[in-house]
Amino acid sequence: MRRQLSARELARSCSREADPERAAHGSSALSAAGVSLRAMTQSAGGGDDSERVAWVTGASRGVGRGIARALGQARWTVYVTARSSAAGRTGHLPGTVEECAQAITAYGGRGVGVVCDHRDDEAVAAVAARIAAEHDRLDLLVNNAWGGYERLNAGAWEEWNAPFWQQPIELFDAMFTGGVRTHYVTLARCTPLLIATAGSAVVTVSFTVTDTERQTLGAAYAAAKCADDRLAQSAAGQLRRYRVASVALHPGLVRTEGVMQYADHLDLDGSQSPEGVGRAVVALMRDPGLMDLTGQVLSVAELAERYDLDVAS
């Protein structure tokens, strides 16, 4: 079995590359022979993964909260981070890290809410160090924090749909500084702990920007989402030998609090729930062929079919 790093060893390992031979040793692949994939993952909302630890960023509301809740239903210990807290929210939309953590615990898991501005590198490192000290493992990092919707959530619908040359540069900065960069930094700080944990993975939440949608979603948004996809794929290439999976996850249109503000402008047929996205993540983490998927861009719709999941409700 793969040796797990202690918190002290983790701190030292941040300054050097871990031993790939040790990391690969004993990462026992589960044989799927004679076992249906659906059978292996069918209880994505109700199984027992009580020894497993996850960190979901940007989890006070929206997709992050949905993923965190689904992990709670599967009895994970889930650290949830965001800026919105009982002491103050970042905008008018509901949701705090404390409320999300309480919901995880109520579902049967263990929720730990930590106020964290992911643009603050030291704050991110402090959360990683806390997880190492308290659990000495990290089975799953969900990179979901995303500052790119702040202006839209505040009511800037026309700005969001304007041509890129009419959009403020601040919108681009928010997507990269409050989105792509936060994902990179969080993954970099967590990687030693992921390497030390057998069967671990990082899921980077992104979005499919088709050729048609590039005409409407804006150049900044398209560039940021493509960057997230490339981050997930590039990380997979370097993490593969340590048996750490890295995928980009593409939800469809999700009925988040922010989206539902603009329900009159949107066709919600076939839309997904935040919790439905979460069920897809839980099932993915139970997949014995997880490493076969590393480096891929996975849509929630495809995972729903693969694992026979309801992602709409």
Side-chain angles (χ1 to χ4, degrees):
M1 184 173 293
R2 186 186 309 168
R3 187 180 72 85
Q4 294 196 352
L5 298 177
S6 68
R8 183 175 300 172
E9 289 173 314
L10 172 66
R12 290 202 303 265
S13 72
C14 289
S15 62
R16 67 177 189 272
E17 185 179 33
D19 180 357
E21 295 298 326
R22 178 174 292 159
H25 235 350
S27 58
S28 53
L30 295 176
S31 171
V35 182
S36 121
L37 188 59
R38 289 179 179 179
M40 290 291 291
T41 60
Q42 63 184 348
S43 57
D48 186 358
D49 293 307
S50 58
E51 298 300 317
R52 308 185 86 180
V53 179
W55 179 4
V56 183
T57 74
S60 59
R61 63 182 68 91
V63 169
R65 183 169 67 176
I67 294 173
R69 286 181 169 183
L71 290 166
Q73 288 179 318
R75 301 183 64 82
W76 284 61
T77 292
V78 188
Y79 285 75
V80 291
T81 51
R83 289 173 293 159
S84 290
S85 70
R89 298 198 305 271
T90 55
H92 69 285
L93 295 177
T96 67
V97 290
E98 294 91 350
E99 290 169 354
C100 184
Q102 290 167 5
I104 292 164
T105 302
Y107 282 136
R110 177 173 177 260
V112 183
V114 184
V115 180
C116 177
D117 184 340
H118 277 265
R119 299 168 299 183
D120 182 340
D121 296 354
E122 291 185 1
V124 172
V127 178
R130 175 176 173 180
I131 295 172
E134 294 179 355
H135 296 280
D136 218 16
R137 67 181 295 132
L138 182 63
D139 298 85
L140 171 64
L141 168 65
V142 179
N143 260 330
N144 176 73
W146 179 255
Y149 293 140
E150 281 191 3
R151 297 174 70 92
L152 177 61
N153 287 340
W157 175 259
E158 292 183 1
E159 174 187 285
W160 181 264
N161 290 283
F164 73 88
W165 61 90
Q166 294 178 9
Q167 292 177 329
I169 300 302
E170 290 82 0
L171 186 61
F172 179 96
D173 291 339
M175 292 180 182
F176 277 84
T177 304
V180 180
R181 187 183 186 279
T182 72
H183 299 162
Y184 179 87
V185 171
T186 307
L187 176 55
R189 295 294 173 264
C190 286
T191 292
L193 195 51
L194 291 167
I195 289 173
T197 307
S200 62
V202 52
V203 172
T204 300
V205 177
S206 185
F207 192 76
T208 303
V209 181
T210 65
D211 289 340
T212 301
E213 289 169 328
R214 288 192 185 109
Q215 308 299 318
T216 58
L217 286 176
Y221 188 79
K225 293 306 181 182
C226 287
D228 264 339
D229 290 346
R230 294 303 294 171
L231 170 62
Q233 292 169 330
S234 297
Q238 296 188 31
L239 292 172
R240 184 185 298 272
R241 60 175 173 165
Y242 302 107
R243 305 294 296 173
V244 177
S246 172
V247 301
L249 181 69
H250 286 198
L253 178 60
V254 183
R255 298 185 304 278
T256 63
E257 299 87 348
V259 164
M260 295 309 292
Q261 294 183 108
Y262 300 107
D264 292 343
H265 299 275
L266 301 168
D267 180 3
L268 296 174
D269 287 346
S271 62
Q272 299 162 358
S273 71
E275 291 76 13
V277 177
R279 288 191 286 274
V281 172
V282 173
L284 178 68
M285 290 303 296
R286 290 180 176 165
D287 191 333
L290 176 60
M291 280 306 300
D292 295 332
L293 301 175
T294 192
Q296 296 189 31
V297 174
L298 305 172
S299 76
V300 169
E302 290 169 341
L303 293 180
E305 182 175 354
R306 179 182 177 90
Y307 303 125
D308 193 21
L309 298 172
D310 170 20
V311 295
S313 64

